[in-house]
Amino acid sequence: MIKIWGSKTPRSLRPIWMAEELEIEYELLPISPRSGETLTKEYTNLNPKQKIPFMEHEDFKLSESLAICKYLQNTFSSNNLFIPQTAQELAEEDEWCSFIYGELDETCLYVMRRHYDLTDIYGSAPNVVDACREYLKRQFLVIDKYLKNKKHLLDQGFGVADIFLVSCLDWAVFYEFELPKNIKMYKEKISERKAYKKAMEINYQN
Ligand SMILES: N[C@@H](CCC(=O)N[C@@H](CS)C(=O)NCC(=O)O)C(=O)O
Protein backbone atom coordinates (compact mmCIF):
# COMPACT_ATOMS: atom_id res chain seq x y z
CA MET A 1 0.00 0.00 0.00
CA ILE A 2 1.24 3.44 -0.93
CA LYS A 3 0.99 6.21 1.66
CA ILE A 4 1.10 9.78 0.42
CA TRP A 5 1.67 12.54 2.96
CA GLY A 6 0.62 16.11 2.31
CA SER A 7 -2.20 18.23 0.98
CA LYS A 8 -3.25 21.76 0.11
CA THR A 9 -0.32 22.90 -2.03
CA PRO A 10 0.50 22.63 -5.75
CA ARG A 11 3.39 20.35 -4.81
CA SER A 12 1.21 17.98 -2.81
CA LEU A 13 -1.25 17.85 -5.74
CA ARG A 14 1.38 16.20 -7.97
CA PRO A 15 1.72 12.73 -6.35
CA ILE A 16 -2.03 12.62 -5.69
CA TRP A 17 -2.72 13.42 -9.34
CA MET A 18 -0.16 10.84 -10.46
CA ALA A 19 -1.73 8.17 -8.22
CA GLU A 20 -5.17 9.02 -9.63
CA GLU A 21 -3.90 8.76 -13.23
CA LEU A 22 -2.34 5.38 -12.42
CA GLU A 23 -5.55 4.29 -10.70
CA ILE A 24 -3.62 2.82 -7.78
CA GLU A 25 -4.86 2.43 -4.25
CA TYR A 26 -3.20 4.75 -1.79
CA GLU A 27 -3.74 6.17 1.64
CA LEU A 28 -3.55 9.94 1.92
CA LEU A 29 -2.33 11.51 5.14
CA PRO A 30 -3.42 15.08 4.42
CA ILE A 31 -1.02 17.01 6.66
CA SER A 32 -0.54 20.61 5.56
CA PRO A 33 2.35 23.08 5.69
CA ARG A 34 2.70 25.51 8.57
CA SER A 35 0.07 23.64 10.57
CA GLY A 36 2.72 22.15 12.87
CA GLU A 37 1.94 18.72 11.36
CA THR A 38 5.23 18.56 9.46
CA LEU A 39 7.12 19.30 12.68
CA THR A 40 5.93 16.41 14.85
CA LYS A 41 8.44 13.84 16.11
CA GLU A 42 6.71 11.08 14.15
CA TYR A 43 6.82 12.98 10.87
CA THR A 44 10.37 14.30 11.41
CA ASN A 45 11.54 10.71 11.89
CA LEU A 46 10.03 9.89 8.51
CA ASN A 47 11.13 13.03 6.72
CA PRO A 48 13.83 15.09 8.47
CA LYS A 49 13.25 17.83 5.86
CA GLN A 50 9.85 18.44 7.56
CA LYS A 51 8.32 19.05 4.17
CA ILE A 52 5.46 17.68 2.10
CA PRO A 53 4.84 15.77 -0.09
CA PHE A 54 6.31 12.49 1.15
CA MET A 55 5.68 8.89 0.14
CA GLU A 56 5.99 5.46 1.72
CA HIS A 57 5.78 2.23 -0.27
CA GLU A 58 6.26 -0.58 2.22
CA ASP A 59 9.79 0.07 3.58
CA PHE A 60 10.72 2.48 0.81
CA LYS A 61 10.47 6.15 1.77
CA LEU A 62 10.79 9.11 -0.57
CA SER A 63 10.56 12.90 -0.48
CA GLU A 64 10.50 15.41 -3.37
CA SER A 65 7.42 15.75 -5.54
CA LEU A 66 9.30 14.96 -8.76
CA ALA A 67 11.05 11.87 -7.37
CA ILE A 68 7.75 10.58 -5.95
CA CYS A 69 5.86 11.07 -9.22
CA LYS A 70 8.59 9.40 -11.25
CA TYR A 71 8.79 6.50 -8.80
CA LEU A 72 5.03 5.94 -9.05
CA GLN A 73 5.13 6.27 -12.83
CA ASN A 74 7.95 3.71 -13.09
CA THR A 75 6.50 1.29 -10.56
CA PHE A 76 2.92 1.05 -11.83
CA SER A 77 1.65 0.95 -15.36
CA SER A 78 -1.29 2.75 -16.85
CA ASN A 79 -2.87 3.35 -20.21
CA ASN A 80 -3.71 6.88 -19.07
CA LEU A 81 -0.13 7.98 -19.05
CA PHE A 82 2.85 8.09 -21.37
CA ILE A 83 5.80 6.29 -19.75
CA PRO A 84 9.14 6.83 -21.52
CA GLN A 85 10.74 3.66 -22.84
CA THR A 86 13.97 4.82 -24.45
CA ALA A 87 16.90 6.88 -23.20
CA GLN A 88 15.86 9.70 -25.54
CA GLU A 89 12.22 9.69 -24.40
CA LEU A 90 13.38 9.70 -20.79
CA ALA A 91 15.79 12.55 -21.48
CA GLU A 92 13.06 14.61 -23.17
CA GLU A 93 10.79 14.10 -20.21
CA ASP A 94 13.64 15.03 -17.83
CA GLU A 95 14.35 18.11 -19.91
CA TRP A 96 10.81 19.39 -19.38
CA CYS A 97 10.63 18.35 -15.74
CA SER A 98 13.96 20.01 -14.92
CA PHE A 99 12.94 23.19 -16.70
CA ILE A 100 9.53 23.34 -15.02
CA TYR A 101 10.79 22.46 -11.56
CA GLY A 102 13.93 24.60 -11.74
CA GLU A 103 12.76 27.65 -13.62
CA LEU A 104 9.05 27.91 -12.83
CA ASP A 105 8.60 26.28 -9.44
CA GLU A 106 11.82 26.95 -7.48
CA THR A 107 13.09 30.08 -9.20
CA CYS A 108 9.80 31.97 -9.47
CA LEU A 109 6.70 30.57 -7.82
CA TYR A 110 8.26 29.39 -4.59
CA VAL A 111 10.27 32.58 -4.21
CA MET A 112 7.02 34.51 -4.72
CA ARG A 113 5.37 32.26 -2.17
CA ARG A 114 7.99 33.24 0.38
CA HIS A 115 8.15 36.96 -0.31
CA TYR A 116 4.59 37.68 -1.51
CA ASP A 117 2.42 35.18 0.36
CA LEU A 118 4.37 34.32 3.49
CA THR A 119 5.92 37.70 4.25
CA ASP A 120 5.35 37.30 7.98
CA ILE A 121 7.80 34.36 7.95
CA TYR A 122 10.23 35.22 5.15
CA GLY A 123 9.97 39.02 4.90
CA SER A 124 8.55 41.30 2.25
CA ALA A 125 10.70 41.78 -0.88
CA PRO A 126 8.65 43.58 -3.56
CA ASN A 127 11.64 43.94 -5.94
CA VAL A 128 12.28 40.21 -5.80
CA VAL A 129 8.60 39.46 -6.43
CA ASP A 130 8.54 41.83 -9.43
CA ALA A 131 11.70 40.22 -10.84
CA CYS A 132 10.11 36.76 -10.44
CA ARG A 133 7.00 37.94 -12.30
CA GLU A 134 9.07 39.23 -15.22
CA TYR A 135 11.23 36.12 -15.29
CA LEU A 136 8.22 33.80 -15.24
CA LYS A 137 6.57 35.75 -18.08
CA ARG A 138 9.70 35.15 -20.20
CA GLN A 139 9.61 31.41 -19.50
CA PHE A 140 5.90 31.37 -20.37
CA LEU A 141 6.67 32.87 -23.80
CA VAL A 142 9.01 29.95 -24.55
CA ILE A 143 6.41 27.41 -23.44
CA ASP A 144 3.60 29.18 -25.28
CA LYS A 145 5.48 29.11 -28.57
CA TYR A 146 6.28 25.43 -28.10
CA LEU A 147 2.68 24.49 -27.22
CA LYS A 148 1.16 25.85 -30.45
CA ASN A 149 -1.10 23.04 -31.77
CA LYS A 150 0.04 20.67 -29.03
CA LYS A 151 -2.06 18.91 -26.40
CA HIS A 152 0.86 17.64 -24.29
CA LEU A 153 4.47 18.56 -23.71
CA LEU A 154 5.66 15.29 -25.23
CA ASP A 155 4.09 14.25 -28.51
CA GLN A 156 3.68 10.66 -27.27
CA GLY A 157 1.00 11.73 -24.80
CA PHE A 158 0.08 13.09 -21.39
CA GLY A 159 2.68 12.41 -18.69
CA VAL A 160 4.54 13.56 -15.62
CA ALA A 161 5.88 16.71 -17.31
CA ASP A 162 2.26 17.82 -17.88
CA ILE A 163 1.40 17.18 -14.23
CA PHE A 164 4.28 19.44 -13.26
CA LEU A 165 3.45 22.15 -15.75
CA VAL A 166 -0.27 22.31 -14.96
CA SER A 167 0.41 22.40 -11.20
CA CYS A 168 2.67 25.42 -11.81
CA LEU A 169 0.10 27.07 -14.10
CA ASP A 170 -2.60 26.76 -11.43
CA TRP A 171 -0.16 28.32 -8.99
CA ALA A 172 0.61 31.16 -11.41
CA VAL A 173 -3.11 31.83 -12.00
CA PHE A 174 -3.54 31.99 -8.21
CA TYR A 175 -0.85 34.71 -8.27
CA GLU A 176 -2.85 36.55 -10.94
CA PHE A 177 -0.70 35.78 -13.97
CA GLU A 178 -2.39 36.18 -17.34
CA LEU A 179 -1.58 32.99 -19.25
CA PRO A 180 -0.67 33.33 -22.95
CA LYS A 181 -3.16 31.87 -25.46
CA ASN A 182 -1.63 28.46 -26.25
CA ILE A 183 -0.78 27.77 -22.62
CA LYS A 184 -4.33 28.71 -21.63
CA MET A 185 -5.84 26.32 -24.17
CA TYR A 186 -3.46 23.53 -23.11
CA LYS A 187 -4.30 24.05 -19.43
CA GLU A 188 -8.06 24.14 -20.06
CA LYS A 189 -7.93 20.87 -22.00
CA ILE A 190 -5.81 19.05 -19.42
CA SER A 191 -8.01 20.36 -16.59
CA GLU A 192 -10.84 18.29 -18.07
CA ARG A 193 -9.06 15.05 -17.09
CA LYS A 194 -11.00 12.99 -14.57
CA ALA A 195 -7.87 12.26 -12.51
CA TYR A 196 -6.98 15.96 -12.31
CA LYS A 197 -10.45 16.92 -11.10
CA LYS A 198 -10.45 14.18 -8.50
CA ALA A 199 -6.92 15.03 -7.33
CA MET A 200 -7.84 18.74 -7.00
CA GLU A 201 -10.86 17.84 -4.93
CA ILE A 202 -8.83 15.54 -2.68
CA ASN A 203 -5.84 17.88 -2.36
CA TYR A 204 -7.87 20.95 -1.46
CA GLN A 205 -10.68 19.40 0.57
CA ASN A 206 -11.49 21.21 3.84
N1 LIG B 1 11.36 20.32 -3.38
C1 LIG B 1 10.28 19.88 -2.56
C2 LIG B 1 9.65 21.09 -1.88
C3 LIG B 1 8.75 20.69 -0.76
C4 LIG B 1 8.27 21.92 0.03
O1 LIG B 1 8.95 22.94 0.15
N2 LIG B 1 7.06 21.80 0.57
C5 LIG B 1 6.49 22.86 1.38
C6 LIG B 1 5.03 23.06 0.99
S1 LIG B 1 4.86 23.46 -0.72
C7 LIG B 1 6.51 22.43 2.84
O2 LIG B 1 6.32 21.27 3.13
N3 LIG B 1 6.76 23.31 3.78
C8 LIG B 1 6.76 22.87 5.17
C9 LIG B 1 6.10 23.77 6.08
O3 LIG B 1 6.08 24.96 5.74
O4 LIG B 1 5.55 23.34 7.12
C10 LIG B 1 9.23 19.12 -3.40
O5 LIG B 1 9.06 19.42 -4.59
O6 LIG B 1 8.60 18.20 -2.88
Side-chain angles (χ1 to χ4, degrees):
M1 175 60 119
I2 300 281
K3 281 188 186 175
I4 297 176
W5 293 76
S7 69
K8 299 192 181 52
T9 81
R11 287 160 168 176
S12 64
L13 174 78
R14 297 166 184 163
I16 298 173
W17 184 1
M18 177 57 88
E20 290 297 333
E21 291 286 352
L22 293 166
E23 299 176 316
I24 53 173
E25 270 188 48
Y26 64 99
E27 180 188 356
L28 179 70
L29 297 111
I31 61 169
S32 48
R34 284 165 311 285
S35 58
E37 293 166 310
T38 54
L39 308 178
T40 63
K41 207 169 155 205
E42 183 205 2
Y43 189 69
T44 307
N45 280 339
L46 270 179
N47 183 8
K49 292 176 183 167
Q50 300 182 317
K51 298 255 185 181
I52 53 153
F54 189 75
M55 185 214 75
E56 292 176 83
H57 185 196
E58 292 154 10
D59 291 341
F60 184 59
K61 300 179 195 323
L62 199 61
S63 63
E64 299 299 325
S65 55
L66 183 55
I68 298 170
C69 286
K70 294 204 97 176
Y71 174 76
L72 294 176
Q73 173 199 38
N74 291 319
T75 305
F76 303 96
S77 59
S78 167
N79 292 332
N80 295 339
L81 206 68
F82 164 65
I83 301 180
Q85 300 298 323
T86 65
Q88 287 191 358
E89 287 179 347
L90 196 59
E92 279 175 349
E93 186 180 79
D94 282 348
E95 182 183 33
W96 276 113
C97 290
S98 309
F99 173 66
I100 295 161
Y101 195 84
E103 302 292 340
L104 311 190
D105 179 316
E106 288 283 10
T107 306
C108 295
L109 293 161
Y110 199 60
V111 176
M112 289 181 72
R113 174 137 180 87
R114 285 169 186 250
H115 299 295
Y116 174 67
D117 240 4
L118 304 174
T119 51
D120 47 335
I121 306 173
Y122 296 107
S124 170
N127 291 351
V128 172
V129 171
D130 287 347
C132 286
R133 278 196 180 279
E134 285 314 308
Y135 190 81
L136 190 55
K137 277 189 204 158
R138 274 173 39 211
Q139 311 315 312
F140 278 170
L141 291 182
V142 176
I143 300 173
D144 194 63
K145 199 167 168 200
Y146 174 84
L147 280 177
K148 189 161 191 249
N149 300 325
K150 282 189 192 281
K151 286 194 206 143
H152 312 114
L153 285 171
L154 297 185
D155 291 337
Q156 297 91 327
F158 174 86
V160 66
D162 298 297
I163 290 183
F164 270 69
L165 180 54
V166 172
S167 67
C168 286
L169 297 176
D170 281 338
W171 199 352
V173 168
F174 186 69
Y175 287 166
E176 295 169 349
F177 275 85
E178 190 76 42
L179 300 179
K181 188 171 133 249
N182 298 321
I183 295 187
K184 207 170 163 187
M185 276 162 53
Y186 158 89
K187 180 180 164 341
E188 278 168 9
K189 194 77 199 135
I190 290 191
S191 305
E192 288 168 9
R193 294 180 75 85
K194 198 171 123 226
Y196 168 81
K197 287 185 187 162
K198 190 158 173 217
M200 285 292 276
E201 207 181 299
I202 293 169
N203 188 48
Y204 292 110
Q205 70 195 342
N206 307 321

